[in-house]
Amino acid sequence: MKIILTLAGVLALAVSTPTPAQSKVVCYYDSKSYVRESQARMLPLDLDPALSFCTHLVYGYAGIQPDTYKMVPLNENLDVDRSHANYRAITNFRSKYPGLKVLLSVGGDADLEEEQKYNLLLESPQARTAFVNSGMLLAEQHGFDGIDLAWQFARIKPKKVRSTWGSIWHGIKKTFGTTLVDDKEAEHREGYTALVREMKQAMSLKQMQLSISVLPNVNSSIYYDVPAIINLVDIVNLHAFDYYTAARNPKEADYSAPTYKPQNRNDLLNVDAAISYWLTGGAPSSKIVVGIATYARTWKLDSDSEISGVPPLHTDGPGEAGPYTKTEGLLSYPEVCAKLINPNHQKGMRPHLRKVTDPSKRFGTYAFRLPDDNGDPGLWVSYEDPDTAGQKASYVKSKNLGGVSIVDLSMDDFRGLCTGDKYPILRAAKYRL
C-alpha cells in the first residue's frame, strides 16, 4: 500500500509540474527572394529543408494602401495571382508540418510607398478599423494562422563622426535639447496600443496569433507601451541587429549586432539592452524572441582605416555589392563565406578576407581586407556565422527567453554552397536552444 501511495504521489507531482515550453524558432521568409537571380533566387520548395527546424514561418511582406489604409499584398502577381499564389504555396506547408504556424507580416521596411501612412493610420480610428478588417480578411482567405506587425516607426538617428569642433558644437546643442525624429511620439504610441488591442480583439474570435516585430533602430521606449500591450501579443520579435550599417554610418564601421555593449559605445545599441527594456516593462521572458540576421553589413576601407581592422574604424561608404544579392553594403552569408575561402594564389581573385573571431562571445565576428597598392579598396564585414548564431541561442537559453528568429531564410546558405549543409545558421541556433 505504501508503494502504491508513493507511486500515486510521484504521478500527481508529474502531472502538476509544468513542463518547460518549447523554444520558438521563428523563421522569416522574405518573398522578394523569389525574384532574385541565380543562386540567390529562393522558391517555396527551397524552404522545405528548413521547416522541420521552425516553429513559426513569417511571410514578408504585406503593406498598407495609402488611400484606404487597407492591408494589401505588396506583389499581387507573386502573392495572390493564380499563376504563383505564393501565399497559398507557403501556408500549404502545414500539411507536411502540421505544428508549423504561418504568419503574414506587414511593413518590415519593405513597404516604401508613402511611409508616413504608418503614422497616419495610428492617428485615425477609422483607418485602424479598415486595416484590421482587411488584414483579417487577407489572412483568412489565404490560410495564415495570424499576423505579424512589423511596424515602420521612425528610427533613432545614427551617431555622426565629427571633428573636434563638430563634437563641441554638438555637445552645446544637446545641452539645449535633442532633435525629435517624430513630433507626435505620444500620439503614435497610444495609436499603436489601440491598434494592437483592436487587432487582438478581432483575432481572438478566429483563434489566430498576433506577433509584433520591433524593427532595427526603433526606440522601444518611445513607441511600445509594454504593460499595455504585452498581454495582447503572443510573440515579441526583437530585431536586435543593424545597429551599425553603411547606410546609417558611412564613415564608421562597427559591430552590427553585439550581444553586449562594446567598450565606449552607446549603452542602448546591443542585444542585451534591447531585451532589458521589455523585461523591465513586465514582459514575460517566454514571449521575447531574439532576431539573428543571416546577412552581413559591409563597409569600404580606405587609406585612413586602421590596419588592425579592429572596430570602430574609419570607412568610405558601403562595400561593393555581392554577386547574388546585388546590394551595396550587404552580403548574404554564402557570399561572405565565399570571400573567406578564396585562396590568395588564384588568378583574378582578390585576397580573401581575414576572419576575426570573438573569444569573449560578447560582440560578434568580423572579417576584413585592407586596401592594396593597386587602388582596390579594402572591405570590412560584420556578420553572423553558425558559431555566433549558436552563441546567441545559448544566450537566449540562459535568459529563459522564448527563442530566436532567423531573419531571413533566403540569406542563410539555403543551397549549401559553403560546406554542403543547408541552412547552417538556422541549424546552429536551433541546436543550441
Side-chain angles (χ1 to χ4, degrees):
M1 178 65 73
K2 186 180 290 186
I3 294 173
I4 294 173
L5 289 173
T6 303
L7 287 173
V10 170
L11 289 172
L13 181 64
V15 170
S16 63
T17 303
T19 57
Q22 179 190 13
S23 293
K24 300 175 186 69
V25 180
V26 180
C27 299
Y28 284 74
Y29 162 63
D30 191 340
S31 61
K32 71 181 180 184
S33 60
Y34 193 106
V35 296
R36 292 190 186 122
E37 298 176 5
S38 182
Q39 301 282 22
R41 188 184 188 203
M42 173 183 266
L43 303 181
L45 283 177
D46 294 317
L47 291 167
D48 197 7
L51 296 183
S52 62
F53 299 94
C54 306
T55 60
H56 295 71
L57 181 62
V58 178
Y59 187 111
Y61 288 91
I64 297 172
Q65 202 168 48
D67 52 344
T68 65
Y69 295 105
K70 290 182 177 180
M71 189 191 301
V72 293
L74 283 181
N75 187 338
E76 284 196 11
N77 291 335
L78 174 64
D79 295 335
V80 297
D81 184 77
R82 287 184 180 180
S83 60
H84 292 103
N86 223 27
Y87 279 1
R88 267 296 170 188
I90 299 304
T91 57
N92 284 345
F93 272 116
R94 280 197 314 267
S95 61
K96 185 174 181 180
Y97 303 98
L100 184 70
K101 297 295 183 183
V102 187
L103 309 183
L104 177 60
S105 187
V106 57
D109 285 340
D111 185 10
L112 303 178
E113 182 187 1
E114 300 182 35
E115 285 192 82
Q116 71 273 17
K117 64 194 172 188
Y118 280 82
N119 281 339
L120 294 174
L121 185 151
L122 299 179
E123 297 170 14
S124 165
Q126 294 78 17
R128 294 199 304 267
T129 298
F131 175 81
V132 170
N133 291 342
S134 58
M136 290 295 299
L137 182 61
L138 193 63
E140 281 190 275
Q141 282 180 333
H142 300 283
F144 288 99
D145 297 300
I147 291 172
D148 172 68
L149 300 177
W151 213 253
Q152 295 180 185
F153 285 116
R155 298 297 197 271
I156 301 167
K157 289 189 176 181
K159 186 193 78 170
K160 293 181 179 179
V161 179
R162 297 180 171 87
S163 64
T164 303
W165 168 244
S167 298
I168 294 171
W169 174 238
H170 179 67
I172 294 170
K173 288 198 296 181
K174 282 190 71 175
T175 303
F176 295 98
T178 57
T179 304
L180 292 174
V181 294
D182 177 2
D183 58 3
K184 292 185 177 180
E185 289 174 352
E187 183 177 356
H188 296 151
R189 178 186 176 95
E190 292 175 9
Y192 184 77
T193 300
L195 175 65
V196 169
R197 185 186 310 114
E198 292 155 9
M199 182 67 80
K200 183 62 175 180
Q201 288 171 349
M203 299 179 84
S204 295
L205 300 174
K206 305 292 183 179
Q207 295 185 324
M208 299 173 80
Q209 291 194 359
L210 176 60
S211 74
I212 60 176
S213 291
V214 181
L215 297 181
N217 298 301
V218 168
N219 189 335
S220 288
S221 67
I222 291 177
Y223 295 111
Y224 294 94
D225 186 346
V226 178
I229 67 173
I230 196 59
N231 291 328
L232 303 172
V233 301
D234 297 288
I235 303 173
V236 178
N237 294 296
L238 296 183
H239 289 196
F241 47 78
D242 282 356
Y243 291 120
Y244 268 77
T245 72
R248 289 173 57 82
N249 317 88
K251 296 297 182 183
E252 187 174 59
D254 209 342
Y255 298 107
S256 60
T259 302
Y260 295 98
K261 173 192 170 184
Q263 191 173 7
N264 300 323
R265 310 298 209 284
N266 187 310
D267 290 335
L268 300 178
L269 304 186
N270 59 81
V271 175
D272 196 63
I275 292 165
S276 294
Y277 171 75
W278 288 84
L279 293 178
T280 303
S285 61
S286 60
K287 288 191 177 184
I288 296 177
V289 169
V290 177
I292 299 174
T294 55
Y295 54 83
R297 290 300 183 181
T298 73
W299 288 259
K300 194 184 301 179
L301 299 183
D302 59 17
S303 57
D304 292 328
S305 306
E306 294 288 334
I307 61 171
S308 66
V310 178
L313 71 168
H314 184 275
T315 54
D316 186 26
E320 64 182 9
Y324 305 140
T325 50
K326 298 182 179 180
T327 304
E328 287 190 340
L330 179 144
L331 294 173
S332 65
Y333 176 65
E335 287 173 327
V336 173
C337 77
K339 291 179 179 294
L340 291 172
I341 61 177
N342 285 338
N344 281 317
H345 62 267
Q346 285 188 3
K347 279 192 174 182
M349 299 294 287
R350 289 184 176 179
H352 67 289
L353 293 172
R354 176 190 170 193
K355 177 180 176 179
V356 182
T357 58
D358 174 24
S360 74
K361 302 179 182 180
R362 296 175 64 85
F363 312 128
T365 292
Y366 63 88
F368 70 100
R369 180 187 70 230
L370 294 173
D372 62 26
D373 295 334
N374 298 323
D376 280 337
L379 185 66
W380 197 89
V381 183
S382 177
Y383 69 103
E384 305 281 6
D385 62 10
D387 288 339
T388 61
Q391 290 162 13
K392 284 194 169 170
S394 294
Y395 165 88
V396 164
K397 187 176 181 180
S398 72
K399 295 278 188 179
N400 294 314
L401 302 179
V404 298
S405 58
I406 306 300
V407 189
D408 73 299
L409 293 178
S410 73
M411 294 287 191
D412 200 350
D413 186 13
F414 68 92
R415 295 192 184 279
L417 299 176
C418 297
T419 63
D421 293 328
K422 295 182 178 180
Y423 295 102
I425 292 178
L426 166 63
R427 288 169 182 263
K430 169 68 174 179
Y431 290 148
R432 296 283 287 274
L433 282 177

